[in-house]
Amino acid sequence: MKQTTKMSRAISQLEHIYNVLNVDFYNGELPTPVITVQSRPGTYGHCTRGKVWRRRDETAYELNIAAEVLNLPIEETLDTILHEMVHLYCRENEIQETSRGGSYHNKRFKFIAETHGLHCVPCGQSGWNTAPTDELVEYALSKGWSEISLGRDGIAFTQTTGTSSQGGRRPSSTRKLACPICGQSVRATKAVNILCGDCLVRMVEV
């Protein structure tokens, strides 16, 4: 699988993922935001409270993925996008899902998240947060999506709008295998024996 190492391709991939998630988890009912990648030390992502972008005669929300976590495993990226889609859903339906300046995610957030394919965990002063599940990993694999091989070096974060370190980070349940010759890679949820179709050599776990 071709690696995503250019920002233009990364944004295109994120936009495609959002559109598919919107159909699969929200019946295509959510508006299309402007997806950005910006440096946001301390978070995985955010969704603006209002429609801050203008395109022709329309306005749009901004959904941002932090540049420092852009290259995390794909299930983390999906969890972050879905997490921010919960906020977008609440903006559109005038639901107060957070307090304390948006840092506390209440039971309304938990309910909406869990009814749209997410798993919530308690995170102390952050209230409820989301965490990737094996089902989300399998979903990503079924779509043929892989992680983005591009990320910004930055300061380690301690608080996120995706998975919170206060609640403990969940180790990835996937394995990454790569061809030792051409570098093409795949992900799997269990031990597998795979040959690279181009080089006809066995892929190795990396």
Side-chain angles (χ1 to χ4, degrees):
M1 182 176 293
K2 188 173 183 179
Q3 294 185 333
T4 301
T5 58
K6 293 183 178 180
M7 186 56 70
S8 59
R9 283 180 55 83
I11 294 293
S12 179
Q13 182 174 337
L14 292 171
E15 289 174 341
H16 172 70
I17 288 173
Y18 175 90
N19 290 334
V20 174
L21 293 177
N22 191 14
V23 171
D24 288 352
F25 292 88
Y26 287 89
N27 297 314
E29 296 173 0
L30 294 184
T32 301
V34 172
I35 295 182
T36 61
V37 175
Q38 301 176 43
S39 180
R40 296 279 297 183
T43 67
Y44 280 20
H46 73 252
C47 176
T48 56
R49 292 188 175 278
K51 295 181 178 181
V52 298
W53 284 86
R54 180 172 295 279
R55 45 191 175 199
R56 294 195 179 98
D57 297 328
E58 299 180 346
T59 55
Y61 296 95
E62 175 180 283
L63 193 159
N64 182 71
I65 303 297
E68 289 79 9
V69 299
L70 184 62
N71 57 351
L72 285 181
I74 187 62
E75 63 269 20
E76 296 278 4
T77 301
L78 296 188
D79 177 70
T80 299
I81 294 175
L82 283 168
H83 178 114
E84 301 310 330
M85 290 172 82
V86 174
H87 290 301
L88 200 158
Y89 176 90
C90 290
R91 311 281 190 262
E92 284 290 281
N93 291 279
E94 300 182 350
I95 298 171
Q96 186 66 42
E97 86 287 13
T98 63
S99 59
R100 302 176 192 171
S103 65
Y104 185 87
H105 296 63
N106 61 31
K107 290 183 179 180
R108 295 188 193 94
F109 174 88
K110 178 179 183 291
F111 174 78
I112 295 166
E114 292 182 339
T115 55
H116 290 90
L118 284 169
H119 171 65
C120 287
V121 293
C123 289
Q125 294 183 350
S126 295
W128 293 95
N129 221 318
T130 58
T133 61
D134 290 340
E135 289 76 16
L136 202 55
V137 173
E138 293 290 351
Y139 174 81
L141 293 175
S142 73
K143 299 294 184 181
W145 294 337
S146 62
E147 68 271 10
I148 295 170
S149 300
L150 177 69
R152 184 183 188 278
D153 290 337
I155 301 172
F157 41 84
T158 58
Q159 183 180 359
T160 72
T161 51
T163 306
S164 171
S165 61
Q166 294 177 356
R169 288 193 51 76
R170 181 181 182 275
S172 175
S173 59
T174 62
R175 297 169 171 82
K176 182 177 179 180
L177 298 97
C179 173
I181 297 176
C182 70
Q184 288 194 85
S185 63
V186 297
R187 296 174 68 83
T189 57
K190 60 182 179 181
V192 291
N193 186 8
I194 299 178
L195 291 180
C196 173
D198 292 333
C199 305
L200 300 179
V201 298
R202 182 181 178 185
M203 288 188 167
V204 296
E205 192 168 331
V206 294

